[in-house]
Amino acid sequence: MNILIPDSWLQEFLKTKATPQQLKEYLSLCGPSVERIYKKNGEILYDIEITSNRPDAMSVAGIAREAAAILPRFGIAATFLNDPYDIKSKVESRKLKVEKKLFIKTDPKLNPRWASIVLSGVHVGPSPTRLIKLLEATGIRPVNNVVDITNYLMRSYGQPTHAFDYNEIGGGKMILRTSRKGEKIVTLDGKTHVLPGGDIVIEDGNERLIDLCGIMGGYNSSIKNSTTSVVLFTQTYNPENIRKTSMALAHRTDAAGLFEKGLDSELVLPTLVRGITLMEEMTGARLASKVYDIYPSPYKPYTVSVSKKKVTAYIGEDIKNIEKILTPLGFRTKIDASSVTVTVPSFRKDVTLDVDIIEEAARMFGYHNIAAHLPASEPPVVLPDVELSYEQEIKTRLRDWGYTELYTYSMIPEKLMDMFGLNKHKAYKIANPLSDEWVYMRPTLLPGILAAIKENLKHEHSLQLFELGMTYGYRQHDLPKETPVLMVAWTGNRLREAKGLAEAIAALFGLPFEEGVYGSVSEADAEILAKMEITEPVTILTVHIEEMVRRANPVKKYIPIPKYPPVIEDFSFVVPPDFRVGPFIDVLSKIHKLIQSVTLLDGYENKRTFRVTYLDTARTLTNLDVAPVHQKFLEYAAEKFGISPVI
Amino acid sequence: MTDRTDTPNQEPIPTPNFIGMLIECQEDALAVIADSNKAADVLRIELLGAKSSLSKLTRQIRLVPDADRAQVGTVVNDVKKSIIDAINKKGASKINDLRSSFDPTMPGIRPPEGHLHIVTQAIEEITRIFERISFIRVRHPEVDWDWYAFGALNMPANHPARDEWETFFLETRDKKQATRKMVLTPHTSNGQVREMEKKKLPIRMINIAKCYRRQIDVSHTPMFHQFEGLYIDRNVSIGHLKGVLDYFVKQFFGPERKARIRPFHFQFTEPSFEVDISCGVCNGAGCKLCKQGWLELGGAGMVHPAVLTNGGIDTTKYNGFAFGWGVERCFMMKAGTHLDDIRLLYSNDVRFLRQF
């Protein structure tokens, strides 16, 4: 959460000679991050990010306390002024004429501390200019002096306070309870909320809801210009209830943002007391009731210890004067030979573990003062993931073979699921999609790739693209099976290239490509292309990486280089339309031991040229040796395949 | 050329005749060289090889009177040399012909040119950098139980810290699963406890995976990539984390760039840090792009004891650090890329992809 703090407001709580720039730099290094400083209407403003574990610092006083602890670490004197915890109640000692009573019923589980008072003789009107300027600078809209005082208290101390019009509270009765599902309340911004149930609310004697606790007061009991009697009300709540309500109603207020983080009940009374003083000074209010302070389980300070050895091990340095570091933050610190024990102040309940103390000590020592070292211990011996290495190798090869890599989204729209006939019941669907574009986890890469082809065809005429990414296979009662799949796509009929690429990839694994086992070569379905308005044919190669990895044969075996030269002959045939090269090569390469290989050299229209390599590993072949094999080759070609060479 | 050497001739040959035959052989060879289009190697075999006229003639040198043999030998060498010279000269002129016909202003013929996606390039670079300090890349699920994404990371159900990740949830049709939610991992930190569950210590891990968040603008896409470092050992210190950060920043961004850590808060680390690197544009002096000389890289921290416990690690013996940063963000923070809209990365426009 970010808050804006005007420099002059900060000076109410901090006495220092540090410049705003120094404050920004040093606070950021050791405490809350001051993201920027800027000037507005003559006021210097600090824009500060405060992490969710530190509600105590989400206020001007909280930042001042941090600054007063941090600045001296950089040699700059600083004193924390007007600590709210020092405010003592002088109310009880005054002679009170109780005119207006409150009848309160509350529940300490929902509301650990309740403090309220009735004030009468209030004159509602505008606040003094200075207060208006401060509130505006911190981003709060000034309303009237009563409401402005509550907002001033919230920003000063981080403790929200509410003011009710006493005369609008039926019978002076305030019953704090959880809401029933469907109950309605109009908050003071005029919005009507239907409550989900379990929300903390206050009901008055007329069975009306007058407060959506911790979030916003009710419209009915809000302060109006005609208001003369005010209930000033300061409290803490169970943070979980506040958060649930605020999220369910999507009603995020400054107060909710504070209450849901868990506020310090010890600060409740000091805030109320300060509020009473301000009401007296600024609105002419006088006390009309006693202070109702309902606080059945006061804070019991606890201690946390850490061994000195652990502090040194974490920080990598021996920290001297740890007491001097921790005391200004509010920790009473005791040190013995082996450990450091701190008494945790009520506002720092985020500190519960030894490592929490280490954090406090380390940040105040200064992370920038800790020397950097690479770990010197023995590294673990881990075998790299073979699948990842192969994936990288394939990607690099594809790049060098002229293919361009895509990263399409893992989530695809419902429209594409339907278009591709994919089973929506056997796919994972996002419950809270950001848009219709990203709804189902893709069971295949094809829709995303075809969508990319369609877009690119608007400005390209020939494409060869690939993606290597996860598909999400459906498993009942379980997480998806994430399977890495390579898909290569070409525009046009490129089936032979697709097959050749498949063979080349399989060769990286020391494997022959087996259609259907390691993947497949196909043309994209014409109907789907038509539906997608792609007018070019598209050739697709799919490769299942896992299967190739499982069967990979990475060891390359040495075959002795022949000592004698081979004899090479090329034969050209005119072939009939049903002629198939594969079986021809399979059969013909096995008819004689001198035939080392038969390969297709060229194929154009109805011509096929084969190259036959004859080899004897023991001697040089002569024409006389080859002649009968040559003859046999032609006989087989004629007899088994009905083809004869072109002369 | 008439073949004079095939008939076995055992009769003595008078020296002048032999020399005459050599000269004739030379003239024939030079004529062949002048007329032929054959390659130098072929000519060399044809005219100087074992089956050449010259070789056959040379073998008959023994039929020359003994006294003249040395003289004849010199002639043989001269003939040979003149043939070799002629062949070489012919070859050289051919190369010159090729040179002179080449237009050096024509564009060259290039090998095929494909392109790896920026994310792949960055992942590869990051993987290699960490591999050199024994942090080995692993892969953990991109779709995971919310236990690994949140619960195990010290963020129980309804914890406000969960809001910081705009998480996508998957629909569960299965009533039994109501309490066990599946999420698209909003960070790679789900890999922390999963890695610890392998029960192998110490750990030096880099988990690189896709992540998902419900956000889209110039610096966010609903799908992106993170890399997560996890180091678990005895006596791990904040200084070690700083050492690894410095190492990475200098290797990836350049030796002149610096790293720093500032206090922050995450539920799953204690202490937690925000990591900044010095701006590559102004080199730390402060400019429009950075916050007074520094750019935010991402989060890091010392692994929270609750997380170690969830991973079955004895916190009295072991501790560690973790960090998780965006791959795209790191790439865009490299000086000089001029890439100002992350959404371009997932537009799949080849006119963009071809630039890298």
Side-chain angles (χ1 to χ4, degrees):
Chain A
M1 184 172 116
N2 279 51
I3 62 171
L4 284 173
I5 295 185
D7 188 58
S8 64
W9 200 337
L10 185 63
Q11 285 175 35
E12 278 182 36
F13 295 96
L14 182 70
K15 191 183 155 197
T16 181
K17 287 204 170 109
T19 63
Q21 274 304 329
Q22 285 173 323
L23 230 128
K24 174 182 188 291
E25 189 181 343
Y26 301 145
L27 218 55
S28 299
L29 280 176
C30 297
S33 177
V34 182
E35 296 194 333
R36 59 190 189 122
I37 307 177
Y38 63 96
K39 259 193 178 167
K40 201 179 161 188
N41 300 331
E43 182 72 72
I44 296 167
L45 289 168
Y46 302 96
D47 183 356
I48 306 181
E49 181 182 17
I50 296 140
T51 54
S52 59
N53 61 326
R54 292 294 306 277
D56 67 290
M58 294 175 185
S59 64
V60 183
I63 293 296
R65 187 191 293 111
E66 281 280 316
I70 291 166
L71 291 172
R73 307 282 316 154
F74 295 88
I76 300 171
T79 318
F80 181 31
L81 309 173
N82 299 317
D83 183 345
Y85 289 89
D86 293 341
I87 298 171
K88 296 285 176 290
S89 171
K90 292 170 195 139
V91 181
E92 297 301 326
S93 57
R94 291 197 233 167
K95 269 200 178 149
L96 285 178
K97 194 177 130 201
V98 176
E99 304 161 353
K100 298 178 196 289
K101 280 191 179 167
L102 287 174
F103 303 93
I104 298 161
K105 202 180 148 200
T106 183
D107 175 351
K109 271 194 211 120
L110 303 172
N111 168 219
R113 189 171 192 177
W114 171 304
S116 64
I117 189 168
V118 188
L119 304 167
S120 60
V122 173
H123 295 280
V124 177
S127 297
T129 320
R130 185 181 128 73
L131 180 57
I132 288 175
K133 277 183 75 176
L134 284 182
L135 288 173
E136 279 176 341
T138 192
I140 296 174
R141 189 174 57 89
V143 181
N144 56 48
N145 49 6
V146 178
V147 174
D148 293 351
I149 285 169
T150 63
N151 284 329
Y152 170 82
L153 293 170
M154 176 173 73
R155 184 61 89 232
S156 285
Y157 303 148
Q159 168 62 56
T161 296
H162 187 60
F164 295 95
D165 185 332
Y166 176 78
N167 294 329
E168 294 294 332
I169 300 177
K173 242 183 172 178
M174 298 178 86
I175 301 160
L176 184 143
R177 62 168 170 85
T178 52
S179 69
R180 291 178 288 273
K181 190 177 180 214
E183 279 190 285
K184 282 183 191 168
I185 183 169
V186 180
T187 45
L188 50 82
D189 56 0
K191 282 186 195 143
T192 306
H193 299 279
V194 181
L195 302 180
D199 317 283
I200 307 175
V201 290
I202 294 174
E203 184 188 309
D204 73 355
N206 299 332
E207 296 181 5
R208 298 187 311 168
L209 299 188
I210 57 167
D211 190 15
L212 181 56
C213 292
I215 295 166
M216 196 177 266
Y219 179 76
N220 46 23
S221 58
S222 62
I223 304 299
K224 295 158 193 81
N225 285 338
S226 55
T227 302
T228 53
S229 296
V230 168
V231 176
L232 201 61
F233 177 56
T234 309
Q235 64 288 281
T236 49
Y237 298 112
N238 181 336
E240 278 166 35
N241 291 72
I242 302 300
R243 178 174 160 70
K244 229 179 106 214
T245 302
S246 167
M247 297 302 275
L249 300 177
H251 203 47
R252 309 290 294 155
T253 58
D254 283 350
L258 288 163
F259 280 125
E260 70 174 19
K261 292 181 179 81
L263 296 180
D264 179 17
S265 292
E266 291 293 307
L267 190 55
V268 166
L269 192 60
T271 305
L272 185 78
V273 171
R274 175 75 179 136
I276 293 166
T277 312
L278 291 171
M279 287 292 286
E280 288 176 318
E281 287 170 10
M282 282 168 52
T283 74
R286 55 174 201 278
L287 311 187
S289 79
K290 64 167 190 165
V291 169
Y292 297 89
D293 183 13
I294 306 166
Y295 186 29
S297 328
Y299 176 70
K300 291 190 196 83
Y302 60 92
T303 60
V304 179
S305 296
V306 60
S307 77
K308 280 180 171 173
K309 221 173 108 189
K310 194 164 177 177
V311 176
T312 309
Y314 258 71
I315 301 176
E317 318 250 348
D318 197 8
I319 297 202
K320 312 248 171 352
N321 298 327
I322 198 161
E323 192 174 357
K324 220 173 141 189
I325 286 178
L326 295 175
T327 308
L329 293 170
F331 298 96
R332 265 193 291 124
T333 308
K334 270 204 300 198
I335 297 177
D336 63 27
S338 63
S339 66
V340 176
T341 302
V342 302
T343 304
V344 177
S346 62
F347 54 86
R348 288 303 307 274
K349 288 192 278 287
D350 59 301
V351 173
T352 56
L353 303 173
D354 57 358
V355 285
D356 295 326
I357 304 173
I358 292 175
E359 173 168 45
E360 293 304 303
R363 73 182 175 101
M364 297 305 276
F365 173 75
Y367 294 143
H368 54 286
N369 289 324
I370 296 175
H373 302 283
L374 279 175
S377 64
E378 190 179 332
V381 177
V382 180
L383 294 177
D385 184 328
V386 187
E387 198 172 281
L388 288 168
S389 316
Y390 272 120
E391 285 181 16
Q392 187 59 41
E393 172 74 5
I394 290 171
K395 286 180 172 195
T396 309
R397 296 282 186 144
L398 284 168
R399 179 197 66 190
D400 296 343
W401 290 334
Y403 297 82
T404 296
E405 187 183 17
L406 302 174
Y407 267 66
T408 67
Y409 280 100
S410 314
M411 313 85 105
I412 60 173
E414 183 163 10
K415 184 179 81 192
L416 286 182
M417 289 291 288
D418 292 338
M419 200 180 279
F420 285 76
L422 298 165
N423 187 345
K424 287 187 278 185
H425 298 287
K426 297 243 159 125
Y428 293 85
K429 187 181 182 190
I430 295 172
N432 56 338
L434 184 61
S435 96
D436 291 347
E437 277 300 294
W438 304 297
V439 181
Y440 283 90
M441 298 307 287
R442 61 184 180 197
T444 151
L445 304 183
L446 189 60
I449 289 180
L450 287 186
I453 285 181
K454 184 192 166 176
E455 283 308 304
N456 280 298
L457 276 177
K458 290 174 184 167
H459 45 80
E460 306 287 316
H461 44 263
S462 169
L463 295 162
Q464 40 185 38
L465 306 169
F466 76 97
E467 178 167 13
L468 200 173
M470 293 296 179
T471 57
Y472 304 85
Y474 188 74
R475 291 191 294 198
Q476 210 179 5
H477 310 310
D478 206 349
L479 296 172
K481 165 107 180 64
E482 294 179 24
T483 310
V485 174
L486 167 69
M487 190 172 278
V488 187
W490 296 255
T491 51
N493 181 338
R494 309 277 287 273
L495 289 167
R496 254 193 95 190
E497 275 152 289
K499 191 181 176 206
L501 184 64
E503 289 163 355
I505 290 169
L508 298 176
F509 294 83
L511 296 168
F513 184 74
E514 285 175 53
E515 174 81 21
V517 177
Y518 301 123
S520 60
V521 172
S522 65
E523 282 183 287
D525 186 273
E527 224 172 283
I528 286 176
L529 292 181
K531 279 190 210 161
M532 290 198 78
E533 295 163 12
I534 295 175
T535 49
E536 293 271 322
V538 175
T539 306
I540 300 287
L541 165 66
T542 311
V543 177
H544 304 301
I545 308 289
E546 285 182 337
E547 197 54 31
M548 285 203 178
V549 170
R550 196 171 304 131
R551 303 203 195 183
N553 187 13
V555 179
K556 300 220 196 288
K557 210 172 122 191
Y558 160 68
I559 300 161
I561 295 159
K563 284 192 189 118
Y564 302 95
V567 173
I568 290 167
E569 280 190 309
D570 294 344
F571 297 91
S572 288
F573 298 93
V574 171
V575 298
D578 62 347
F579 176 79
R580 289 288 173 267
V581 170
F584 180 83
I585 290 177
D586 285 349
V587 171
L588 275 291
S589 57
K590 291 186 188 91
I591 58 168
H592 197 280
K593 64 177 171 46
L594 286 185
I595 295 181
Q596 200 208 15
S597 68
V598 178
T599 56
L600 180 73
L601 206 58
D602 198 12
Y604 182 68
E605 291 181 343
N606 63 342
K607 285 216 186 74
R608 300 285 180 275
T609 304
F610 294 95
R611 169 160 289 181
V612 181
T613 306
Y614 308 93
L615 182 77
D616 190 326
T617 52
R619 66 202 173 89
T620 302
L621 289 172
T622 65
N623 285 344
L624 285 175
D625 298 321
V626 170
V629 189
H630 170 108
Q631 200 51 42
K632 195 174 180 189
F633 183 87
L634 291 179
E635 279 165 24
Y636 258 81
E639 282 167 26
K640 304 263 174 178
F641 295 90
I643 58 173
S644 355
V646 185
I647 312 292
Chain B
M1 185 171 79
T2 47
D3 196 332
R4 279 164 239 97
T5 52
D6 269 2
T7 16
N9 187 352
Q10 300 302 321
E11 298 298 314
I13 303 176
T15 304
N17 289 11
F18 195 87
I19 291 177
M21 284 154 76
L22 278 170
I23 301 296
E24 224 174 296
C25 190
Q26 173 183 340
E27 280 167 6
D28 287 349
L30 293 180
V32 169
I33 293 165
D35 294 345
S36 170
N37 285 323
K38 290 178 186 166
D41 284 347
V42 176
L43 286 173
R44 221 167 267 137
I45 292 167
E46 203 170 282
L47 302 173
L48 299 165
K51 290 177 181 168
S52 66
S53 308
L54 182 63
S55 295
K56 287 175 188 167
L57 192 57
T58 309
R59 281 197 289 274
Q60 291 185 2
I61 202 164
R62 61 196 157 82
L63 304 175
V64 174
D66 287 354
D68 295 339
R69 286 227 189 120
Q71 188 202 342
V72 171
T74 317
V75 178
V76 168
N77 285 338
D78 288 349
V79 168
K80 233 184 217 172
K81 189 167 182 301
S82 72
I83 295 174
I84 290 170
D85 285 352
I87 292 173
N88 288 347
K89 205 174 160 194
K90 172 104 181 183
S93 75
K94 223 174 190 173
I95 291 169
N96 284 337
D97 283 354
L98 284 175
R99 282 258 166 80
S100 61
S101 67
F102 173 65
D103 171 1
T105 63
M106 288 242 290
I109 299 171
R110 293 201 193 184
E113 184 181 296
H115 304 271
L116 288 181
H117 195 275
I118 286 171
V119 170
T120 293
Q121 295 183 36
I123 287 176
E124 174 65 2
E125 188 178 355
I126 291 163
T127 305
R128 294 287 92 82
I129 289 172
F130 282 107
E131 202 171 64
R132 292 197 283 276
I133 51 169
S134 296
F135 281 70
I136 303 300
R137 183 177 173 198
V138 296
R139 190 146 68 183
H140 288 295
E142 292 169 10
V143 179
D144 211 342
W145 300 114
D146 79 342
W147 163 254
Y148 289 105
F150 294 114
L153 298 175
N154 201 27
M155 283 182 273
N158 297 322
H159 195 283
R162 288 190 176 204
D163 293 357
E164 285 156 35
W165 290 274
E166 300 272 349
T167 308
F168 286 110
F169 291 90
L170 290 183
E171 268 185 11
T172 34
R173 285 173 216 111
D174 184 353
K175 289 278 178 289
K176 280 183 215 156
Q177 301 277 328
T179 53
R180 224 183 156 202
K181 283 186 183 150
M182 272 180 221
V183 302
L184 301 193
T185 50
H187 49 206
T188 39
S189 305
N190 64 315
Q192 289 188 18
V193 166
R194 284 196 173 270
E195 189 70 17
M196 294 175 199
E197 285 175 348
K198 290 181 182 169
K199 302 278 171 214
K200 277 184 195 155
L201 290 169
I203 293 169
R204 292 195 193 193
M205 167 198 96
I206 287 290
N207 171 33
I208 310 182
K210 286 195 167 87
C211 297
Y212 305 88
R213 290 186 201 176
R214 298 184 76 251
Q215 280 176 305
I216 186 157
D217 57 44
V218 291
S219 47
H220 299 92
T221 44
M223 179 181 86
F224 62 104
H225 294 75
Q226 275 196 344
F227 59 108
E228 181 92 4
L230 178 69
Y231 175 50
I232 307 285
D233 206 334
R234 291 168 196 265
N235 297 317
V236 179
S237 77
I238 298 167
H240 292 142
L241 171 59
K242 284 185 72 176
V244 171
L245 298 185
D246 279 352
Y247 165 79
F248 173 73
V249 165
K250 286 189 172 12
Q251 295 270 326
F252 187 82
F253 294 102
E256 70 290 346
R257 305 284 284 270
K258 289 189 211 69
R260 72 169 185 189
I261 57 173
R262 285 182 293 111
F264 204 68
H265 173 71
F266 299 107
Q267 280 294 116
F268 45 110
T269 47
E270 187 69 39
S272 304
F273 316 109
E274 186 91 79
V275 181
D276 295 339
I277 61 164
S278 58
C279 177
V281 174
C282 65
N283 266 323
C287 69
K288 276 183 186 173
L289 283 171
C290 60
K291 285 181 185 170
Q292 302 205 316
W294 297 94
L295 295 162
E296 276 178 27
L297 184 62
M302 304 300 285
V303 181
H304 195 285
V307 178
L308 292 170
T309 305
N310 288 331
I313 288 176
D314 182 350
T315 56
T316 62
K317 294 197 176 96
Y318 288 92
N319 70 336
F321 64 70
F323 54 86
W325 306 325
V327 171
E328 293 87 346
R329 189 175 165 74
C330 277
F331 184 87
M332 289 168 78
M333 279 163 63
K334 269 198 171 192
T337 52
H338 297 294
L339 197 55
D340 54 6
D341 187 343
I342 190 177
R343 290 171 297 193
L344 271 170
L345 266 59
Y346 297 103
S347 65
N348 288 313
D349 187 327
V350 295
R351 291 169 299 181
F352 171 77
L353 298 171
R354 275 199 292 252
Q355 296 178 24
F356 298 93

